[in-house]
Amino acid sequence: MAQPRVVTIHYTLTNDQGEQLDSSRGEGREPLSYLEGAQNIISGLEGALTEKAAGDQVKVSVEPAEGYGEVNEELIQPVPRSAFEGVDTIEPGMQFQAQTPGGPQIVRVVEVADETVTIDANHPLAGQTLHFDVEVVETRDATDEEQEHGHVH
């Protein structure tokens, strides 16, 4: 089996409407490095970059199943406003960290009513097709420590 690689990329992410959602390009921004096979990035993007070399340019569209998944309606639910004790202003779009049985989870406020706040625990990009414009900047063999820890050092 081949030695896992560390791949460093510059990317621009857009949605179906062509709106830029994220980018590593621009002043003060750094390229993204990830360890292949360690689930550091979404599978659809990682699969498209397998065996690419420094200098390669790749455009890839990632469907929800290989990105952040489909929207799970069960993760959108009303909670009592009292769950936000100590928060004076609650508005749609705000994000909070909730403690769940599975550990901490980021939730977004969708709707605010008198007695309830509707939250959405889906990833903000769930259900979206993601369009990446990628330049492979560098590849190298991963160190033993990176492989052991499952991420780039």
Side-chain angles (χ1 to χ4, degrees):
M1 185 168 168
Q3 169 91 3
R5 301 184 309 166
V6 171
V7 180
T8 302
I9 61 173
H10 267 302
Y11 67 92
T12 300
L13 168 62
T14 55
N15 61 16
D16 279 337
Q17 292 73 42
E19 299 166 321
Q20 183 174 305
L21 303 176
D22 192 14
S23 181
S24 67
R25 296 178 173 101
E27 191 173 328
R29 304 296 310 261
E30 295 288 327
L32 170 71
S33 295
Y34 68 92
L35 177 63
E36 283 185 329
Q39 284 113 29
N40 295 160
I41 64 172
I42 59 173
S43 63
L45 179 57
E46 184 171 353
L49 297 176
T50 301
E51 299 184 18
K52 298 295 184 210
D56 285 352
Q57 304 257 349
V58 181
K59 289 187 184 231
V60 61
S61 292
V62 178
E63 296 298 322
E66 296 212 324
Y68 292 99
E70 297 293 347
V71 172
N72 179 346
E73 296 297 331
E74 292 178 8
L75 296 178
I76 303 170
Q77 56 188 304
V79 296
R81 196 177 183 115
S82 61
F84 294 86
E85 186 178 331
V87 179
D88 294 334
T89 305
I90 305 170
E91 297 176 350
M94 293 176 85
Q95 293 188 355
F96 294 90
Q97 182 171 305
Q99 295 303 324
T100 70
Q105 174 135 23
I106 300 295
V107 298
R108 271 183 346 279
V109 174
V110 178
E111 188 179 326
V112 180
D114 290 340
E115 300 295 322
T116 62
V117 175
T118 302
I119 59 168
D120 183 349
N122 285 288
H123 188 282
L125 299 177
Q128 295 190 44
T129 299
L130 307 173
H131 305 279
F132 291 90
D133 184 354
V134 179
E135 174 192 358
V136 179
V137 176
E138 175 187 35
T139 66
R140 65 172 173 79
D141 287 342
T143 65
D144 290 342
E145 184 179 29
E146 288 169 327
Q147 291 178 60
E148 188 177 309
H149 291 182
H151 59 261
V152 177
H153 289 232

